[in-house]
Amino acid sequence: MKKLYTIIVTTIVTLLITNTALRAQNFHLFDMNHSKDAYPANNFQYPEEQWEDYTKYGYAVLNGVAYFTANDGIIGEALWRSDGTAAGTYMVKDIYPDYLQERMYNLTVSGNKVFFKVDGPYGQELWASDGTGTGTYLVFSSGSSMYYLTDVNGALYFMKSYYGTADQLWKTDGTPEGTTMIADLYWEVGGYRATKLTPVQGRLFFVVETFSDGPELYTNEGTPGSTHLVKDINPFGGSYPSQLTAVNGLLCFGADDGTGKQVWVSDGTEAGTYKANNPKNITVNDHGGTDFTIKNNSIYFSGRY
């Protein structure tokens, strides 16, 4: 009887897989590279961005059109767009036609444009596009790495590494003259590395590791000089904030005050930053990039007690 059960289950699974494959063929939209895979995607430059913010970096969608990078096997990687039809799927622009090694990362919609990073022949650059070839242009030539492209009320914020020594917070309106540094974390807070840039009602939260302390939660209101430590959650070595998530105008995140990583809440002030009620002392599991999930104003997370 056990053998029969195994055969039945195997047959059902096989049928399900076959049926899924058949149904998947109905969604084949456009063959960009006839000889091999085109790898249509929104690439990540840094592994931590993929694990921490994978939901943010799906295909960038502007005005009902999806934007992504793809390689047609002829000109190399380029910016593409699709409205969901074969006729509406085409290349927007080949950034450097004479350079086949350019890479493009982190397509992010902000305002009425799609922003993305390019590793081109002159180093890393920030580009913007309105969805047309003529409307795709260079915004900023960094000279060093940029990461965590993040929209806040129509303006794009990003972190920029100052030649590998310390991170800076920058802001752009999509024009070269409107691209400015908001905070130099080295001089303002003694920090050298910033991660997990997260917007909550116009305020930016992020995690900073300083030369004197482990990672803690910091915030910036979008103006120069407004960067500050939200709360020294663990004065003895850093609370390692993780899973930063906006919920009902507040930031929810995991942090360790020395008694284990638990759920915390913050409005950006020290007095308004506190540990959530947790009578069973459930600790947060943040291994493997597990994010908080929001449904019906409730937080779901992986934990143990």
Side-chain angles (χ1 to χ4, degrees):
M1 187 64 182
K2 182 177 180 180
K3 184 176 180 180
L4 176 61
Y5 176 76
T6 303
I7 294 173
I8 291 174
V9 170
T10 303
T11 303
I12 292 173
V13 171
T14 303
L15 288 173
L16 286 174
I17 293 172
T18 304
N19 188 43
T20 301
L22 289 172
R23 285 187 287 110
Q25 293 177 9
N26 296 329
F27 292 92
H28 185 192
L29 182 63
F30 190 81
D31 190 357
M32 301 167 195
N33 188 330
H34 299 291
S35 60
K36 56 183 180 180
D37 289 339
Y39 298 106
N42 189 351
N43 298 317
F44 303 93
Q45 183 179 13
Y46 303 104
E48 63 268 23
E49 287 187 305
Q50 180 174 6
W51 285 113
E52 294 166 3
D53 296 312
Y54 69 91
T55 52
K56 181 173 71 175
Y57 291 125
Y59 287 1
V61 179
L62 176 64
N63 298 326
V65 176
Y67 292 84
F68 54 96
T69 66
N71 188 331
D72 66 355
I74 300 173
I75 64 172
E77 193 164 278
L79 178 66
W80 286 67
R81 58 174 283 165
S82 177
D83 63 2
T85 67
T89 302
Y90 53 87
M91 185 182 69
V92 177
K93 187 179 182 71
D94 180 14
I95 301 300
Y96 289 109
D98 298 324
Y99 183 70
L100 298 179
Q101 303 303 316
E102 76 263 34
R103 294 299 310 279
M104 305 165 65
Y105 309 96
N106 303 150
L107 276 68
T108 305
V109 173
S110 182
N112 59 352
K113 297 180 179 64
V114 176
F115 291 86
F116 54 95
K117 301 182 301 184
V118 176
D119 280 348
Y122 311 108
Q124 191 162 101
E125 303 167 338
L126 180 67
W127 284 67
S129 177
D130 64 0
T132 66
T134 56
T136 302
Y137 59 92
L138 174 66
V139 176
F140 178 63
S141 183
S142 171
S144 59
S145 299
M146 296 176 286
Y147 45 98
Y148 290 104
L149 275 61
T150 303
D151 172 68
V152 183
N153 297 332
L156 185 81
Y157 289 77
F158 58 94
M159 288 293 180
K160 175 182 178 295
S161 174
Y162 183 70
Y163 299 99
T165 59
D167 287 341
Q168 302 169 335
L169 178 63
W170 284 69
K171 175 183 179 181
T172 183
D173 61 3
T175 65
E177 60 275 11
T179 304
T180 58
M181 183 176 67
I182 299 298
D184 187 321
L185 300 179
Y186 177 83
W187 293 108
E188 291 191 28
V189 298
Y192 66 91
R193 177 165 171 75
T195 58
K196 304 176 177 67
L197 190 59
T198 305
V200 182
Q201 289 195 334
R203 178 190 291 272
L204 284 166
F205 290 91
F206 44 92
V207 178
V208 176
E209 189 163 358
T210 67
F211 290 97
S212 60
D213 200 0
E216 289 287 2
L217 185 67
Y218 283 72
T219 186
N220 180 284
E221 297 175 6
T223 57
S226 65
T227 301
H228 64 273
L229 174 68
V230 175
K231 186 183 184 73
D232 193 0
I233 294 174
N234 189 344
F236 303 103
S239 64
Y240 292 84
S242 62
Q243 296 125 311
L244 276 62
T245 307
V247 185
N248 294 331
L250 298 171
L251 179 78
C252 289
F253 59 102
D256 186 354
D257 62 358
T259 62
K261 180 163 284 191
Q262 298 187 18
V263 177
W264 284 68
V265 179
S266 179
D267 64 0
T269 67
E270 183 175 7
T273 302
Y274 53 90
K275 188 187 301 186
N277 185 29
N278 188 1
K280 291 189 177 181
N281 199 33
I282 298 173
T283 58
V284 174
N285 177 14
D286 63 350
H287 299 296
T290 305
D291 285 340
F292 287 171
T293 299
I294 309 302
K295 184 176 182 180
N296 298 330
N297 298 323
S298 296
I299 299 175
Y300 296 83
F301 63 96
S302 174
R304 61 172 62 90
Y305 67 93

